[in-house]
Amino acid sequence: MSRSGPDEHRTPYVPNDGPHPWRRFVALGDSFTEGVGDPDPGSANGVRGWADRVAEVLAGQVDDFAYANLAIRGRLIGEILDEQIEPALQLKPDLVTFSAGGNDVIRPGADPDAVAERFEDAVVRLSSTGATLVVFTGIDTNFTPVFRGIRGRVAIYNENIRALAARHDCIVADQWALKEVQDMRFFDDDRLHYNALGHHEVARMVLRALNVPNDLQPMQPDPLPTRTWREARAHDLVWAREYLVPWVLRRLRHQSSGDHITAKRPEPSPVVPSVGSVSAEGPHGDGAGRGDI
């Protein structure tokens, strides 16, 4: 996507007249951007994720491309501002993806307007460099009983994100409109993080927003298993024991799954496609990653 001037706005449907312009991509955020739920033993931190998948496509189309990922699971928006913005600026990126606030918005009593104000503080600092900046809306949670109750809060947060994106000339990667992933088969067993299928679809969505042609094809999940009421109830109890209770205990203890995790790619480096890279005929995928958002 050509961005030679602030008044040049192009939709994802206008063909490019040349390769994409980016050579240094830096991703910021929490577990969503780190790639939790998309396991890959060959990747740093043992996870791959949508940002790695986007970087692989971008690197394959131009020379001298480098990618850094500063995202760490469990981070609140204030922590992301304190820990990741300045290091990102020092890396002098020309493409930045910034996703933050999800951990804040899902907490009881969260104020989505206050979260968006912190978000805009980061956007102002990041956009001052002239880099192309991509921001994300939150997913429509209506399809999942676990998070259906915060749907209105997410919607308010999203409207704030769209408004500040317009003010600061950001590209919006719209998860709310990504209906393909509103299906639990695109999520890990923890019901919170995308699995490989979900991360793959988010990567496709980000590349569309950037107007970058690619060969990534939609992947179809396996059919939902047929369960009796008793089996479904047992499955819910296992989920609560393995994921919900530990999450609640961490909140009470003021702990995070990212307390002992460091950024998986703290410096821009060349991108080597993952051994598990998805081809145009990509296989079905499933995730076994663990951890908080």
Side-chain angles (χ1 to χ4, degrees):
M1 178 175 184
S2 174
R3 294 178 63 81
S4 59
D7 296 326
E8 186 170 345
H9 296 281
R10 298 176 63 188
T11 77
Y13 308 104
V14 178
N16 284 321
D17 53 10
H20 71 76
W22 302 292
R23 297 298 183 275
R24 181 164 290 204
F25 167 31
V26 176
L28 311 180
D30 50 34
S31 61
F32 167 66
T33 300
E34 184 187 350
V36 172
D38 185 9
D40 183 352
S43 296
N45 289 6
V47 294
R48 188 178 176 200
W50 66 264
D52 287 18
R53 294 166 184 267
V54 168
E56 290 167 12
V57 172
L58 297 178
Q61 298 184 8
V62 296
D63 296 327
D64 193 29
F65 182 86
Y67 160 56
N69 189 321
L70 307 184
I72 297 177
R73 66 196 70 178
R75 291 301 193 255
L76 299 170
I77 192 166
E79 295 169 322
I80 293 172
L81 266 67
D82 292 342
E83 300 170 6
Q84 297 180 28
I85 303 299
E86 192 57 38
L89 294 174
Q90 293 176 6
L91 298 179
K92 301 186 184 306
D94 55 10
L95 173 63
V96 177
T97 59
F98 180 59
S99 175
N103 286 330
D104 302 80
V105 171
I106 67 173
R107 294 192 171 202
D111 181 351
D113 294 319
V115 175
E117 288 179 8
R118 300 299 307 274
F119 195 105
E120 187 162 19
D121 290 342
V123 166
V124 169
R125 293 167 64 186
L126 291 169
S127 61
S128 67
T129 66
T132 299
L133 181 56
V134 180
V135 296
F136 292 76
T137 62
I139 190 171
D140 185 349
T141 60
N142 192 48
F143 73 100
T144 169
V146 177
F147 294 110
R148 188 173 295 147
I150 67 168
R151 188 186 189 211
R153 200 185 307 164
V154 175
I156 294 170
Y157 173 76
N158 286 350
E159 288 305 302
N160 285 325
I161 295 298
R162 293 187 181 98
L164 69 87
R167 285 195 295 273
H168 300 285
D169 195 28
C170 303
I171 294 172
V172 176
D174 194 358
Q175 285 193 93
W176 184 275
L178 193 62
K179 301 305 180 184
E180 295 89 337
V181 300
Q182 294 172 23
D183 180 328
M184 290 312 300
R185 292 174 294 177
F186 287 83
F187 283 77
D188 187 28
D189 290 342
D190 64 7
R191 306 184 185 182
L192 186 62
H193 298 102
Y194 288 121
N195 59 21
L197 287 172
H199 279 283
H200 177 79
E201 286 303 318
V202 171
R204 295 180 67 242
M205 179 261 290
V206 172
L207 291 166
R208 287 196 300 271
L210 291 173
N211 195 24
V212 173
N214 61 87
D215 294 328
L216 300 186
Q217 299 296 313
M219 294 194 295
Q220 294 300 316
D222 293 326
L224 284 170
T226 301
R227 290 194 178 107
T228 65
W229 178 90
R230 189 179 300 276
E231 290 170 336
R233 178 63 172 167
H235 190 262
D236 288 343
L237 292 173
V238 169
W239 168 79
R241 182 177 67 249
E242 294 188 3
Y243 302 107
L244 179 60
V245 171
W247 185 86
V248 171
L249 290 176
R250 281 194 294 272
R251 300 289 76 72
L252 294 174
R253 296 166 180 165
H254 303 287
Q255 296 174 334
S256 168
S257 60
D259 284 345
H260 305 291
I261 303 293
T262 58
K264 67 179 186 177
R265 295 179 66 102
E267 298 290 337
S269 58
V271 178
V272 178
S274 170
V275 173
S277 293
V278 179
S279 67
E281 296 79 24
H284 292 206
D286 195 10
R290 300 292 180 261
D292 285 351
I293 191 170

